[in-house]
Amino acid sequence: MNVYTLLPFIVLIAVMFLMTRSAKKKQQQAANMRNEMQPGSGVRTIGGMYATVKEVTEDTVLLDAGPGVELIFAKNAIGAVLSDDEYNRIIHGIEHDLKPDSEIVPDDASSLTAADAEHKAVDFGKKDAAEETAVAEDKTLADKAETVEPAAKDDTVVNKAETAEPAEAPKKTDGDTDAK
């Protein structure tokens, strides 16, 4: 037989060997982790329940899931043995990484508004191009509205801004509509 005809079979066998080898490594690591469980360590079951190990036997584990709740699980049902810090963070909400001197961020914005009311907003003098043109148009309309001239026959006042040619309408941006 030709070597080239056997090559796909050789590659297939090699891939299967590598896959089973990595699976065996993972199983061995999981077994070592389960064997290292000791009473008092926090665990997570494969069902997602967090508990504390109370007693370990050859095939089973007695877990304390809460006050007065003791459960017996097979060792294979333990998904992970957690470190003390991770278990306390998940179950009790205790963070060991927090520094006592650090500033605590409030949960709501209402406590932030009182402190912010004391400080005025700072204007850095930068404006968008659209903002600058809108301000310029507002000034020209205001100037035109201030200048009025009397009509020839009656005493009504005519606004120059109304008689002047209409200014170019401001350009629409996203979300602007003609509806009023």
Tab-separated table of all heavy atoms in Angstrom, residues 120-149:
chain	number	residue	atom	x	y	z
A	120	LYS	N	-19.870	74.996	40.705
A	120	LYS	CA	-20.462	75.468	39.461
A	120	LYS	C	-19.819	74.732	38.294
A	120	LYS	O	-18.676	74.303	38.361
A	120	LYS	CB	-20.230	76.967	39.305
A	120	LYS	CG	-20.981	77.779	40.341
A	120	LYS	CD	-20.764	79.241	40.111
A	120	LYS	CE	-21.533	80.048	41.140
A	120	LYS	NZ	-21.325	81.477	40.960
A	121	ALA	N	-20.569	74.629	37.219
A	121	ALA	CA	-20.039	73.969	36.029
A	121	ALA	C	-18.926	74.815	35.438
A	121	ALA	O	-18.989	76.047	35.424
A	121	ALA	CB	-21.145	73.767	35.017
A	122	VAL	N	-17.915	74.175	34.943
A	122	VAL	CA	-16.779	74.866	34.366
A	122	VAL	C	-16.941	74.885	32.854
A	122	VAL	O	-17.157	73.854	32.225
A	122	VAL	CB	-15.458	74.143	34.736
A	122	VAL	CG1	-14.273	74.820	34.094
A	122	VAL	CG2	-15.311	74.086	36.238
A	123	ASP	N	-16.858	76.085	32.265
A	123	ASP	CA	-16.947	76.226	30.819
A	123	ASP	C	-15.533	76.344	30.282
A	123	ASP	O	-14.810	77.285	30.609
A	123	ASP	CB	-17.760	77.472	30.458
A	123	ASP	CG	-17.926	77.608	28.961
A	123	ASP	OD1	-17.745	76.600	28.250
A	123	ASP	OD2	-18.230	78.712	28.496
A	124	PHE	N	-15.123	75.393	29.495
A	124	PHE	CA	-13.768	75.387	28.967
A	124	PHE	C	-13.642	76.190	27.686
A	124	PHE	O	-12.576	76.268	27.099
A	124	PHE	CB	-13.304	73.945	28.725
A	124	PHE	CG	-13.131	73.180	29.995
A	124	PHE	CD1	-13.990	72.158	30.334
A	124	PHE	CD2	-12.105	73.487	30.857
A	124	PHE	CE1	-13.838	71.455	31.510
A	124	PHE	CE2	-11.932	72.789	32.042
A	124	PHE	CZ	-12.808	71.769	32.375
A	125	GLY	N	-14.721	76.794	27.216
A	125	GLY	CA	-14.678	77.663	26.054
A	125	GLY	C	-14.738	76.935	24.734
A	125	GLY	O	-14.711	77.554	23.690
A	126	LYS	N	-14.818	75.650	24.731
A	126	LYS	CA	-14.916	74.909	23.475
A	126	LYS	C	-16.374	74.703	23.146
A	126	LYS	O	-17.173	74.342	23.993
A	126	LYS	CB	-14.229	73.557	23.581
A	126	LYS	CG	-12.745	73.621	23.531
A	126	LYS	CD	-12.205	72.231	23.402
A	126	LYS	CE	-10.751	72.263	23.002
A	126	LYS	NZ	-10.237	70.949	22.757
A	127	LYS	N	-16.724	74.922	21.908
A	127	LYS	CA	-18.080	74.691	21.451
A	127	LYS	C	-18.021	73.926	20.142
A	127	LYS	O	-17.069	74.041	19.380
A	127	LYS	CB	-18.810	76.014	21.230
A	127	LYS	CG	-19.046	76.784	22.507
A	127	LYS	CD	-19.803	78.050	22.240
A	127	LYS	CE	-20.021	78.824	23.528
A	127	LYS	NZ	-20.678	80.094	23.286
A	128	ASP	N	-19.076	73.192	19.892
A	128	ASP	CA	-19.175	72.498	18.625
A	128	ASP	C	-19.428	73.508	17.521
A	128	ASP	O	-19.913	74.609	17.754
A	128	ASP	CB	-20.326	71.489	18.641
A	128	ASP	CG	-20.065	70.349	19.601
A	128	ASP	OD1	-18.898	70.226	20.042
A	128	ASP	OD2	-21.005	69.594	19.893
A	129	ALA	N	-19.153	73.133	16.296
A	129	ALA	CA	-19.409	74.009	15.155
A	129	ALA	C	-20.909	74.272	15.033
A	129	ALA	O	-21.339	75.386	14.742
A	129	ALA	CB	-18.862	73.378	13.878
A	130	ALA	N	-21.723	73.287	15.280
A	130	ALA	CA	-23.174	73.456	15.199
A	130	ALA	C	-23.652	74.416	16.281
A	130	ALA	O	-24.537	75.243	16.059
A	130	ALA	CB	-23.868	72.112	15.341
A	131	GLU	N	-23.054	74.339	17.466
A	131	GLU	CA	-23.429	75.231	18.558
A	131	GLU	C	-23.077	76.664	18.220
A	131	GLU	O	-23.841	77.587	18.485
A	131	GLU	CB	-22.681	74.802	19.827
A	131	GLU	CG	-23.576	74.439	20.984
A	131	GLU	CD	-22.759	74.069	22.196
A	131	GLU	OE1	-22.345	74.977	22.937
A	131	GLU	OE2	-22.555	72.861	22.389
A	132	GLU	N	-21.889	76.876	17.633
A	132	GLU	CA	-21.454	78.225	17.282
A	132	GLU	C	-22.373	78.846	16.237
A	132	GLU	O	-22.736	80.016	16.338
A	132	GLU	CB	-20.011	78.198	16.773
A	132	GLU	CG	-19.005	77.923	17.874
A	132	GLU	CD	-17.587	77.854	17.349
A	132	GLU	OE1	-17.374	78.137	16.147
A	132	GLU	OE2	-16.701	77.516	18.142
A	133	THR	N	-22.775	78.088	15.220
A	133	THR	CA	-23.659	78.639	14.198
A	133	THR	C	-25.035	78.926	14.779
A	133	THR	O	-25.669	79.915	14.418
A	133	THR	CB	-23.794	77.681	13.001
A	133	THR	OG1	-24.258	76.415	13.477
A	133	THR	CG2	-22.469	77.514	12.285
A	134	ALA	N	-25.519	78.091	15.706
A	134	ALA	CA	-26.823	78.329	16.330
A	134	ALA	C	-26.781	79.596	17.167
A	134	ALA	O	-27.718	80.400	17.141
A	134	ALA	CB	-27.220	77.137	17.185
A	135	VAL	N	-25.688	79.838	17.891
A	135	VAL	CA	-25.554	81.047	18.698
A	135	VAL	C	-25.487	82.271	17.791
A	135	VAL	O	-26.111	83.294	18.063
A	135	VAL	CB	-24.307	80.947	19.606
A	135	VAL	CG1	-23.992	82.276	20.257
A	135	VAL	CG2	-24.509	79.867	20.650
A	136	ALA	N	-24.754	82.184	16.682
A	136	ALA	CA	-24.644	83.301	15.752
A	136	ALA	C	-26.001	83.618	15.134
A	136	ALA	O	-26.373	84.794	14.990
A	136	ALA	CB	-23.619	82.988	14.672
A	137	GLU	N	-26.764	82.617	14.752
A	137	GLU	CA	-28.094	82.838	14.182
A	137	GLU	C	-29.029	83.468	15.205
A	137	GLU	O	-29.809	84.362	14.880
A	137	GLU	CB	-28.683	81.519	13.675
A	137	GLU	CG	-28.043	81.031	12.398
A	137	GLU	CD	-28.601	79.682	11.960
A	137	GLU	OE1	-29.536	79.180	12.606
A	137	GLU	OE2	-28.086	79.143	10.974
A	138	ASP	N	-28.954	83.030	16.462
A	138	ASP	CA	-29.785	83.605	17.509
A	138	ASP	C	-29.470	85.081	17.698
A	138	ASP	O	-30.358	85.904	17.890
A	138	ASP	CB	-29.595	82.857	18.829
A	138	ASP	CG	-30.226	81.466	18.811
A	138	ASP	OD1	-31.060	81.219	17.908
A	138	ASP	OD2	-29.879	80.647	19.687
A	139	LYS	N	-28.179	85.456	17.627
A	139	LYS	CA	-27.798	86.855	17.784
A	139	LYS	C	-28.323	87.703	16.633
A	139	LYS	O	-28.822	88.806	16.841
A	139	LYS	CB	-26.269	86.977	17.869
A	139	LYS	CG	-25.709	86.532	19.206
A	139	LYS	CD	-24.219	86.740	19.245
A	139	LYS	CE	-23.652	86.246	20.564
A	139	LYS	NZ	-22.204	86.403	20.627
A	140	THR	N	-28.221	87.197	15.413
A	140	THR	CA	-28.709	87.987	14.269
A	140	THR	C	-30.218	88.132	14.324
A	140	THR	O	-30.751	89.198	14.007
A	140	THR	CB	-28.300	87.352	12.933
A	140	THR	OG1	-28.781	86.008	12.896
A	140	THR	CG2	-26.795	87.366	12.748
A	141	LEU	N	-30.940	87.124	14.718
A	141	LEU	CA	-32.392	87.230	14.848
A	141	LEU	C	-32.763	88.208	15.953
A	141	LEU	O	-33.713	88.981	15.819
A	141	LEU	CB	-33.009	85.856	15.122
A	141	LEU	CG	-32.993	84.871	13.955
A	141	LEU	CD1	-33.550	83.530	14.401
A	141	LEU	CD2	-33.792	85.412	12.792
A	142	ALA	N	-32.010	88.207	17.045
A	142	ALA	CA	-32.284	89.137	18.132
A	142	ALA	C	-32.009	90.564	17.701
A	142	ALA	O	-32.761	91.488	18.031
A	142	ALA	CB	-31.434	88.781	19.344
A	143	ASP	N	-30.931	90.779	16.917
A	143	ASP	CA	-30.627	92.124	16.425
A	143	ASP	C	-31.716	92.617	15.490
A	143	ASP	O	-32.123	93.780	15.534
A	143	ASP	CB	-29.272	92.139	15.700
A	143	ASP	CG	-28.109	91.938	16.673
A	143	ASP	OD1	-28.310	92.134	17.900
A	143	ASP	OD2	-27.018	91.576	16.202
A	144	LYS	N	-32.217	91.745	14.626
A	144	LYS	CA	-33.265	92.128	13.689
A	144	LYS	C	-34.567	92.427	14.427
A	144	LYS	O	-35.320	93.302	14.043
A	144	LYS	CB	-33.484	91.020	12.665
A	144	LYS	CG	-32.371	90.910	11.649
A	144	LYS	CD	-32.656	89.794	10.673
A	144	LYS	CE	-31.501	89.617	9.705
A	144	LYS	NZ	-31.754	88.516	8.781
A	145	ALA	N	-34.842	91.711	15.483
A	145	ALA	CA	-36.076	91.917	16.238
A	145	ALA	C	-36.051	93.241	16.985
A	145	ALA	O	-37.091	93.860	17.195
A	145	ALA	CB	-36.292	90.773	17.215
A	146	GLU	N	-34.874	93.730	17.362
A	146	GLU	CA	-34.782	94.984	18.093
A	146	GLU	C	-35.021	96.189	17.191
A	146	GLU	O	-35.501	97.220	17.632
A	146	GLU	CB	-33.405	95.103	18.761
A	146	GLU	CG	-33.229	94.161	19.928
A	146	GLU	CD	-31.833	94.235	20.512
A	146	GLU	OE1	-31.009	95.043	20.028
A	146	GLU	OE2	-31.561	93.470	21.453
A	147	THR	N	-34.647	96.076	15.952
A	147	THR	CA	-34.815	97.205	15.041
A	147	THR	C	-36.192	97.145	14.411
A	147	THR	O	-36.540	96.190	13.733
A	147	THR	CB	-33.742	97.166	13.929
A	147	THR	OG1	-33.819	95.915	13.286
A	147	THR	CG2	-32.362	97.392	14.509
A	148	VAL	N	-36.988	98.146	14.675
A	148	VAL	CA	-38.330	98.239	14.109
A	148	VAL	C	-38.477	99.589	13.415
A	148	VAL	O	-37.829	100.565	13.749
A	148	VAL	CB	-39.418	98.094	15.214
A	148	VAL	CG1	-39.439	96.706	15.763
A	148	VAL	CG2	-39.213	99.103	16.306
A	149	GLU	N	-39.365	99.673	12.455
A	149	GLU	CA	-39.614	100.953	11.784
A	149	GLU	C	-41.122	101.150	11.665
A	149	GLU	O	-41.866	100.198	11.433
A	149	GLU	CB	-38.937	100.999	10.423
A	149	GLU	CG	-39.387	99.942	9.449
A	149	GLU	CD	-38.596	99.987	8.160
A	149	GLU	OE1	-37.370	100.114	8.205
A	149	GLU	OE2	-39.247	99.916	7.107
